[in-house]
Amino acid sequence: MTRLRKLLATSTALVVGGMAHGAEIEVTHWWTSGGEAAAVAEFAKAFNEKTDHTWVDGAIAGGSGAANPVISNRILGGEPMGATMMNTGRDSEEMVDEGLMLDITDVVEASGILDVESAPGLFENCKFDGKYYCVVVNIHSWQWMWTSRKAFEDAGVEPPTNWDEFVAAAPALEAAGKIPLAMGQQSWQSSGAFGVLQVGLGGVDHWLSVYRDRDMAAIEGDEMRRIIEAFAEARTLAAGSTVQDWNQATNMVITDQAGAQIMGDWAQGEFSVAGEVAGQDYDCLPGLGFFDVLSTGGDSFYFPVNDDPEVTAAQKELAALLISPEVQVAFNLKKGSLPVRNDVDLEAANDCMKKGLEILKAGNIMPDGEQMNDPDTEGQLEDLWVEFWFDHSITAEDAHERFIDIMARAE
């Protein structure tokens, strides 16, 4: 019996004494772009082929902002799905506290994942009051900028190696009819880009001083003001980008209409589907080329409590499967994210993924913002940066004052 089969058999036996009963498990998620769809198909394929159960896909378009209210309302309203994706962080705390999520401590401990985590303490994000309620399926980091080699070649300048070189090349890009910075109109894209600029220009220590330590000197200081001014410059460089979805903005880089995009490593899935080759057609700059660092955000799956023991058994089989070595490799190669296990073979990874693996191996990691701030603070910050991005009448000084006020009240 393989290691995976042992894990699956163990998780099932814990509930119903052995055999699976062919349950249908609806799985909700917001992976709807080309690269995302290819990745989640690997999960569905493995579940359908390696168990006696059936994956029922519940994709919700529009990203986490659109999906989270639907997911929460269904669970809180007594119409739970079998499994649901949520961001790795604090989004699920209320539902765990209400006893609405399945305790899968037995599955997590039986899997051995706690001994081979790619990032130390990764599964602590699933732990509440000493028990595990989710499985983390990948490590996604926002800390990337993606650039089109041909766009810079057409502009007669060298591809940038950092943010400052990119800004310096922007006039040449515009003269060549290119949009310097691709950005979609969804709110989370611009607010996420601010976080990348904050780390890339201010460094991890400054970021931690702001969000972990709530150091008002750092929050109020000149470094924070400089970062916000850079964000104002970024919104000017993206003024010609009018697409809506993040993957449409990625496509602008893929098709060489834009010079660059600030976006998390899930963008790699779109480059892969388009047949683009890292290091030849496009380049990737972690930490905007200044800091080789990754945040340890990503995606996790929770399993709402169900009264049917057959469904509970299937939920636990799915949980074990999602973090098994074979499935971790198949999924993350398509998703562009990094695996949660450090004992898997990723020789097939492209240059950018290998760069991420090296950063991870070196231990150059930082928490994700969603792991540091409660949902209310995250929402206020997103509102601020979105409003600032779209309303050019708001000055960097005004935005800084509002940022200070939010962080002074943050819990």
Side-chain angles (χ1 to χ4, degrees):
M1 182 180 286
T2 65
R3 178 180 176 85
L4 172 59
R5 283 293 182 186
K6 288 179 181 178
L7 291 173
L8 297 179
T10 299
S11 64
T12 304
L14 287 165
V15 180
V16 296
M19 296 299 292
H21 291 265
E24 291 188 348
I25 300 297
E26 181 192 5
V27 184
T28 51
H29 60 86
W30 53 84
W31 289 328
T32 57
S33 75
E36 291 172 330
V40 74
E42 293 292 337
F43 280 159
K45 176 183 176 183
F47 189 60
N48 291 335
E49 291 182 354
K50 295 178 181 294
T51 77
D52 296 323
H53 310 298
T54 302
W55 174 293
V56 178
D57 203 69
I60 303 170
S64 60
N68 276 338
V70 175
I71 293 167
S72 297
N73 287 340
R74 281 191 54 184
I75 297 172
L76 294 171
E79 297 181 0
M81 60 294 294
T84 187
M85 182 181 85
M86 301 188 81
N87 288 324
T88 300
R90 299 174 62 179
D91 288 352
S92 64
E93 283 184 353
E94 178 184 354
M95 287 180 282
V96 171
D97 286 341
E98 293 294 325
L100 297 173
M101 291 298 188
L102 181 66
D103 174 2
I104 57 168
T105 303
D106 44 17
V107 177
V108 172
E109 291 180 345
S111 72
I113 188 67
L114 301 177
D115 297 322
V116 293
E117 289 178 295
S118 294
L122 187 62
F123 271 69
E124 288 296 304
N125 293 291
C126 290
K127 198 172 185 179
F128 301 88
D129 294 329
K131 298 178 181 179
Y132 294 93
Y133 291 89
C134 70
V135 289
V136 186
V137 297
N138 59 11
I139 296 174
H140 261 320
S141 176
W142 255 105
Q143 307 301 320
W144 297 88
M145 184 165 76
W146 311 89
T147 62
S148 161
R149 286 201 174 189
K150 190 173 187 305
F152 288 93
E153 178 184 323
D154 291 345
V157 292
E158 290 293 318
T161 62
N162 58 49
W163 174 258
D164 290 345
E165 292 178 6
F166 164 68
V167 172
L173 288 169
E174 292 176 323
K178 311 289 184 182
I179 295 171
L181 186 64
M183 183 71 72
Q185 304 301 299
Q186 294 163 320
S187 60
W188 62 270
Q189 297 181 56
S190 47
S191 62
F194 175 81
V196 177
L197 281 165
Q198 189 173 2
V199 173
L201 300 182
V204 176
D205 289 343
H206 180 268
W207 187 92
L208 289 172
S209 293
V210 171
Y211 296 110
R212 181 191 64 192
D213 304 334
R214 303 290 199 257
D215 182 346
M216 293 308 297
I219 292 167
E220 296 172 353
D222 291 340
E223 185 72 356
M224 197 69 230
R225 178 71 55 82
R226 182 177 73 90
I227 291 165
I228 297 173
E229 289 172 349
F231 193 49
E233 187 169 31
R235 70 183 176 182
T236 300
L237 297 177
S241 181
T242 59
V243 297
Q244 178 69 17
D245 296 332
W246 70 269
N247 50 305
Q248 293 174 316
T250 306
N251 188 62
M252 292 175 66
V253 179
I254 291 172
T255 57
D256 312 311
Q257 300 173 64
Q261 179 191 26
I262 296 174
M263 185 52 60
D265 50 16
W266 48 90
Q268 286 197 89
E270 304 304 302
F271 285 103
S272 177
V273 167
E276 297 276 286
V277 178
Q280 296 181 24
D281 301 308
Y282 68 97
D283 292 300
C284 49
L285 303 178
L288 298 182
F290 295 122
F291 297 99
D292 282 346
V293 64
L294 298 179
S295 54
T296 53
D299 304 304
S300 298
F301 277 84
Y302 288 79
F303 306 87
V305 169
N306 191 293
D307 293 334
D308 187 340
E310 296 179 4
V311 171
T312 302
Q315 290 173 311
K316 291 195 172 188
E317 288 194 60
L318 177 57
L321 187 73
L322 296 177
I323 55 177
S324 63
E326 179 183 349
V327 176
Q328 273 288 295
V329 170
F331 169 76
N332 284 292
L333 285 177
K334 293 285 181 64
K335 191 68 167 63
S337 49
L338 300 177
V340 298
R341 311 180 63 101
N342 61 23
D343 61 347
V344 295
D345 182 6
L346 282 174
E347 277 301 309
N350 66 31
D351 285 355
C352 287
M353 184 179 285
K354 287 179 178 177
K355 186 180 293 188
L357 289 168
E358 287 300 314
I359 295 172
L360 203 61
K361 184 178 179 181
N364 296 332
I365 59 175
M366 57 178 284
D368 191 77
E370 291 179 342
Q371 298 164 16
M372 305 297 288
N373 299 317
D374 61 35
D376 181 60
T377 300
E378 278 292 288
Q380 291 182 60
L381 290 173
E382 179 171 303
D383 290 345
L384 168 60
W385 301 128
V386 170
E387 186 179 351
F388 178 69
W389 184 266
F390 288 106
D391 186 351
H392 289 217
S393 69
I394 301 175
T395 67
E397 183 177 0
D398 292 337
H400 192 194
E401 289 301 317
R402 288 176 58 182
F403 178 75
I404 292 169
D405 180 61
I406 292 170
M407 294 307 300
R409 293 182 287 108
E411 295 182 1

